[in-house]
Amino acid sequence: MPNKHRGEIGAELGGRQRTLVLTLGALAELESAFGADDLMALAERFGSGRVSSRDLIRIIGAGLRGAGEAVSDDDVAVMTVEGGAAGFVRIAAGLISATFDESVAP
């Protein structure tokens, strides 16, 4: 069961209930992937509201790896979610919200 106090969320991905969390390691992975210099730049990028499919794969993959799953971005790319693309957007938005809403002020 996800612990919201640790920034964890739960989501059904690929037919399984999973936990996702953006740990410091996962955030560092995303900083590198998006060319962000720091957490504030990463939060601003996410706050723009514009994400690509590749962004969703990276965010969700980092969240799964942060929670201890051994998955690659290629694994995430073939997972299914209820609601299709909109479902992936909801999961990524929930993960970003759980990570940044109380910890980084824009």
Side-chain angles (χ1 to χ4, degrees):
M1 178 157 232
N3 182 335
K4 293 182 183 200
H5 297 290
R6 289 190 286 192
E8 296 175 350
I9 67 162
E12 187 173 315
L13 287 152
R16 284 187 33 219
Q17 188 64 31
R18 301 168 191 261
T19 298
L20 297 89
V21 63
L22 291 178
T23 61
L24 282 178
L27 289 166
E29 176 185 331
L30 292 175
E31 284 174 347
S32 177
F34 295 130
D37 291 331
D38 55 32
L39 283 176
M40 188 59 78
L42 197 60
E44 288 171 359
R45 177 183 168 96
F46 294 153
S48 75
R50 297 182 56 122
V51 295
S52 69
S53 297
R54 187 73 196 151
D55 293 345
L56 294 173
I57 291 167
R58 287 176 173 160
I59 294 164
I60 292 169
L64 288 167
R65 288 185 290 276
E69 289 213 32
V71 297
S72 68
D73 285 350
D74 290 338
D75 295 330
V76 174
V78 298
M79 289 180 180
T80 57
V81 150
E82 187 174 325
F88 280 103
V89 170
R90 279 191 297 276
I91 292 167
L95 184 57
I96 291 165
S97 176
T99 302
F100 288 106
D101 275 353
E102 294 183 29
S103 59
V104 178

